[in-house]
């Protein structure tokens, strides 16, 4: 292995460094083709990377170099080179797909976590290479993959080898992820084939999910195909082992296809509510799922949104209510933060105003809140406001819980904008109470940072005067900060008129000073 590794390094170094020079030696094209084929052999060296070979990954950058050099020649020369090298690149696709094959379940189970991670990164590199090669091979590459997949799935013996199916789908997904496949005539056929795939194997099922996700934009333009594909995604959603792939795919579909999901909304919501209540997914995937449902709900008629919204969040609000009554403890804390995070995620994407803008001039009715109906998010916030105040009263000195509470309102304000009006008085009062009782950075972020930035942008002289007057009061905002530190805070703040993130940092640092926590690694 060491010998072949060394020979491969020499071949790749020659090919990469002298690619253009060697291409230009037209009379010696056969010798250079022999070197290219040697590198192709190194790419496809037998064995599984990184367990039984480590050579193939050295060759991948060579294929970029060769392709760039070929495509940089004037058209007449390009035609000649493409005649010689397109067949090589089709062979390369076969080799890369073969190298991306997973080992058998038993072998894979015996790999160390480091080997698995290296293999995952290697497959990402292969994916990037396939995407790049598509520029040279074009639509013919997709047709080639589609024909092979079709033959495999129609032949029971061939489709029994799940790795072959997975590798072809992996190739499709690599290309569809970044290339506009809307004009490809093989995608309808691919969508027709996907439901025929047996997703009992986890690795294959993962790739099926990601492939569907990569076609979300295509599905938005061909919504008639959603009915064939959504059941598979929902089938994946109930399996914990497919958590990341199924949830991220559903989120992409809900984002891209939301205006066409009306007929499927009930099914999506039923399955999603079930997996959320059963806590099938980890916290981060639950947040993604809530974002997906926010996109879905946004496109429904306003009256329907409120009904479905209540149905979706009631179990979680009830759980929050129970937790709010209990004495604070670490387990309660994580559950409270989790539920507040889910509400924040939902409110991040539940934006009926955005939907109204995107439907401007469309024949569908605009889902704006009428004069008589409030925005559904505002209705929900008003209903849970007292509950949130109860939680705050018990957890006021815990920055993570306060941050989670502020996150709910932060996301809501960003999404609702003017519709947030009815909540302003209540929220302002609550923020004042939070900060007087226990000065926390998250309350200032919610975002005061934005207010201070706007004041500094539009009336810097007055802000300077107000800061001076407010901060000269002894012991305000805290006895922990000196006159010099207050002065530094003012100066830093007055210098920032555009950078919101920097204002947040300045405010956060000052908040830590006020609490005596600066430099404590807090």
């Amino acid at each position: 292995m060491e010998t072949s590794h060394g020979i491969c390094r020499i071949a790749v170094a020659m090919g990469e460094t002298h690619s253009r020079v060697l291409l230009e030696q037209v009379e010696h094209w056969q010798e250079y083709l022999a070197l290219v084929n040697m590198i192709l052999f190194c790419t496809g060296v037998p064995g599984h990377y990184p367990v039984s070979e480590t050579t193939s990954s050295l060759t991948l950058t060579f294929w970029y170099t060769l392709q760039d050099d070929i495509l940089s020649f004037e058209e007449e020369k390009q035609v000649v080179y493409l005649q010689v090298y397109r067949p090589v690149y089709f062979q390369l696709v076969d080799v890369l797909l073969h190298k991306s094959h997973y080992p058998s379940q038993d072998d894979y189970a015996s790999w160390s976590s480091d080997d698995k991670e290296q293999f995952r990164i290697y497959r990402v590199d292969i994916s990037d290479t396939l995407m790049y090669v598509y520029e040279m091979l074009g639509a013919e590459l997709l047709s080639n993959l589609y024909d092979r997949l079709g033959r495999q799935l129609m032949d029971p013996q061939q489709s029994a080898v799940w790795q072959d199916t997975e590798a072809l789908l992996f190739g499709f997904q690599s290309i569809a992820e970044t290339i506009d496949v809307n004009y490809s005539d093989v995608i309808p056929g691919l969508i027709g084939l996907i439901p025929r795939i047996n997703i009992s194997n986890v690795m294959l099922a993962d790739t099926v999910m990601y492939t569907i996700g990569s076609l979300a934009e295509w599905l938005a333009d061909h919504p008639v195909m959603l009915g064939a594909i959504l059941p598979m995604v929902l089938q994946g959603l109930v399996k914990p082992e497919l958590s990341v792939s199924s949830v991220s795919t559903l989120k992409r579909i809900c984002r891209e296809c939301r205006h066409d999901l009306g007929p499927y909304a009930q099914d999506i919501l039923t399955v999603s509510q079930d997996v959320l209540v059963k806590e099938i997914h980890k916290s981060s995937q639950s947040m993604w799922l809530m974002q997906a449902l926010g996109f879905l709900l946004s496109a429904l008629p306003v009256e329907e949104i409120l009904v479905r919204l209540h149905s979706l969040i009631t179990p979680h609000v009830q759980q929050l209510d129970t937790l709010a009554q209990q004495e604070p403890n670490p387990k309660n804390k994580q559950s409270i933060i989790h539920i507040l995070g889910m509400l924040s995620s939902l409110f991040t994407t539940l934006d009926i105003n955005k939907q109204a803008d995107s439907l401007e001039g469309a024949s569908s009715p605009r889902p704006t809140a009428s004069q008589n109906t409030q925005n559904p998010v505002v209705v929900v916030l008003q209903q849970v406001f007292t509950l949130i105040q109860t939680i705050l009263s018990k957890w006021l000195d815990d920055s993570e819980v306060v941050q989670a509470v502020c996150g709910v309102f932060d996301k809501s304000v960003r999404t609702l904008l003017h519709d947030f009006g009815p909540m302003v008085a209540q929220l302002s009062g609550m923020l004042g109470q939070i900060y007087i009782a226990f000065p926390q950075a998250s309350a200032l972020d919610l975002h005061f940072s934005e207010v201070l930035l706007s004041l500094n942008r539009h009336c810097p002289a007055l802000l300077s005067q107000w800061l001076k007057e407010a901060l000269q009061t002894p012991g305000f905002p805290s006895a922990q900060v000196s006159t010099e530190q207050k002065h530094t805070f003012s100066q830093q703040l007055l210098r920032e008129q555009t950078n919101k993130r920097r204002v947040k940092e300045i405010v956060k640092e000052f908040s830590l000073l006020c609490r005596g926590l600066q430099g404590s690694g807090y």
Side-chain angles (χ1 to χ4, degrees):
M1 185 150 76
E2 281 181 25
T3 308
S4 64
H5 195 77
I7 294 169
C8 170
R9 287 181 62 179
I10 294 169
V12 169
M14 281 180 68
E16 273 190 15
T17 313
H18 306 291
S19 169
R20 193 175 177 88
V21 174
L22 292 168
L23 281 169
E24 283 174 334
Q25 309 294 312
V26 182
E27 65 278 16
H28 296 294
W29 70 271
Q30 284 169 307
E31 284 95 326
Y32 187 39
L33 181 59
L35 177 65
V36 170
N37 278 319
M38 187 180 182
I39 296 172
L40 182 64
F41 179 81
C42 294
T43 305
V45 67
H48 266 109
Y49 182 93
V51 174
S52 51
E53 68 90 3
T54 53
T55 298
S56 58
S57 63
L58 302 175
T59 66
L60 297 180
T61 50
F62 165 75
W63 300 108
Y64 288 87
T65 308
L66 178 60
Q67 180 173 320
D68 281 347
D69 285 339
I70 289 170
L71 298 179
S72 70
F73 283 106
E74 59 273 19
E75 207 167 325
E76 286 171 23
K77 276 190 176 177
Q78 253 191 57
V79 172
V80 177
Y81 291 128
L82 286 172
Q83 275 183 321
V84 176
Y85 288 104
R86 266 174 66 91
V88 175
Y89 272 85
F90 273 112
Q91 278 181 280
L92 172 66
V93 170
D94 288 349
V95 166
L96 291 175
L97 292 178
H98 181 71
K99 291 299 292 182
S100 71
H101 274 195
Y102 279 97
S104 69
Q105 298 269 161
D106 291 344
D107 283 354
Y108 191 65
S110 70
W111 285 17
S112 70
S113 55
D114 187 50
D115 286 339
K116 287 177 180 173
E117 178 59 10
Q118 282 197 56
F119 182 60
R120 185 192 68 77
I121 294 167
Y122 175 67
R123 277 175 51 108
V124 171
D125 291 340
I126 287 179
S127 179
D128 291 343
T129 311
L130 288 169
M131 179 186 80
Y132 205 74
V133 166
Y134 178 83
E135 286 184 37
M136 182 185 263
L137 302 181
E140 199 180 333
L141 172 53
L142 284 179
S143 302
N144 182 307
L145 294 175
Y146 170 66
D147 291 343
R148 287 168 62 184
L149 186 64
R151 285 198 300 273
Q152 244 182 50
L153 293 175
M154 298 304 168
D155 179 342
Q157 279 185 308
Q158 281 193 48
S159 60
V161 185
W162 66 266
Q163 286 97 331
D164 292 344
T165 306
E166 193 280 334
L168 286 170
L169 277 179
F170 171 73
F172 254 114
Q173 179 218 328
S174 303
I175 295 161
E177 200 62 67
T178 46
I179 280 137
D180 183 2
V181 291
N182 271 7
Y183 305 105
S184 168
D185 53 1
V186 303
I187 301 301
L190 174 64
I191 298 275
L193 284 176
I194 285 176
R196 300 180 68 101
I197 298 170
N198 178 346
I199 59 168
S200 56
N201 176 278
V202 174
M203 274 85 96
L204 174 57
D206 249 341
T207 304
V208 168
M209 292 298 146
Y210 285 127
T211 305
I212 295 170
S214 69
L215 298 172
E217 286 183 41
W218 186 90
L219 287 165
D221 290 334
H222 306 82
V224 71
M225 304 299 275
L226 279 166
I229 224 79
L230 262 175
M232 279 193 100
V233 179
L234 297 180
Q235 192 185 335
L237 203 63
V238 301
K239 298 181 178 180
E241 63 273 22
L242 299 180
S243 187
V244 176
S245 58
S246 62
V247 174
S248 61
T249 294
L250 183 64
K251 182 180 167 183
R252 290 177 78 167
I253 289 174
C254 287
R255 185 179 63 214
E256 301 298 338
C257 312
R258 53 194 161 207
H259 299 303
D260 300 293
L261 290 177
Y264 315 104
Q266 184 60 59
D267 288 346
I268 295 172
L269 282 161
T270 302
V271 175
S272 300
Q273 284 173 255
D274 190 48
V275 299
L276 286 167
V277 169
K278 289 179 180 169
E279 296 187 356
I280 282 175
H281 302 292
K282 288 182 181 170
S283 192
S284 52
Q285 275 78 60
S286 298
M287 306 302 164
W288 294 354
L289 186 49
M290 278 299 208
Q291 287 178 6
L293 299 178
F295 286 125
L296 173 69
L297 291 170
S298 299
L300 300 177
V302 172
E303 299 70 28
E304 198 180 330
I305 293 175
L306 199 52
V307 176
R308 295 196 181 276
L309 190 54
H310 273 303
S311 163
L312 173 63
I313 67 171
T314 297
H316 307 291
V317 171
Q318 285 171 345
Q319 191 188 351
L320 197 59
D321 197 13
T322 306
L323 292 164
Q325 308 311 321
Q326 296 169 2
E327 284 309 303
N329 67 58
K331 194 178 174 201
N332 281 3
K333 174 177 159 176
Q334 288 315 311
S335 300
I336 288 170
I337 289 171
H338 173 71
I339 295 169
L340 291 171
M342 289 207 297
L343 291 176
S344 297
S345 299
L346 180 64
F347 297 156
T348 304
T349 54
L350 210 174
D351 186 359
I352 62 172
N353 295 319
K354 197 168 186 181
Q355 308 312 323
D357 294 342
S358 66
L359 287 173
E360 198 82 63
S363 54
S364 328
R366 292 178 44 165
T368 44
S370 68
Q371 296 301 313
N372 310 326
T373 57
Q374 281 189 323
N375 187 299
V377 175
V378 173
V379 175
V380 169
L381 283 175
Q382 287 177 327
Q383 289 169 351
V384 298
F385 198 81
T386 311
L387 173 55
I388 285 175
Q389 282 184 308
T390 307
I391 289 166
L392 273 176
S393 66
K394 291 191 175 180
W395 292 91
L396 202 52
D397 61 348
D398 190 296
S399 64
E400 289 176 88
V401 174
V402 174
Q403 189 170 2
V405 167
C406 290
V408 172
F409 292 105
D410 178 38
K411 298 293 189 287
S412 309
V413 172
R414 286 171 186 276
T415 308
L416 294 169
L417 299 174
H418 298 295
D419 283 356
F420 193 81
M423 292 293 300
V424 168
Q426 280 174 291
L427 182 58
S428 302
M430 187 181 85
L431 281 173
Q433 289 164 358
I434 294 176
Y435 203 73
I436 289 166
F438 206 93
Q440 300 250 20
S442 49
L444 290 175
D445 286 345
L446 176 58
H447 270 53
F448 289 113
S449 298
E450 197 113 5
V451 172
L452 288 168
L453 186 67
S454 297
L455 285 171
N456 201 23
R457 198 176 282 166
H458 300 296
C459 37
L462 285 171
L463 177 62
S464 174
Q465 182 189 324
W466 292 333
L467 280 171
K468 199 172 180 180
E469 287 172 8
L471 293 174
Q472 70 185 8
T473 310
F476 177 84
S478 154
Q480 302 266 15
V481 283
S482 65
T483 307
E484 190 184 340
Q485 286 169 326
K486 291 187 204 180
H487 178 71
T488 304
F489 169 65
S490 297
Q491 295 306 107
Q492 286 178 323
L493 202 57
L494 291 166
R495 274 200 294 271
E496 290 301 337
Q497 293 192 332
T498 53
N499 191 334
K500 194 185 300 179
R501 180 173 290 160
R502 179 66 189 129
V503 172
K504 279 182 71 171
E505 284 169 7
I506 293 165
V507 168
K508 191 168 189 173
E509 283 165 22
F510 188 62
S511 174
L512 289 173
L513 275 176
C514 290
R515 294 158 62 195
L517 291 171
Q518 235 252 346
S520 63
Y522 189 78

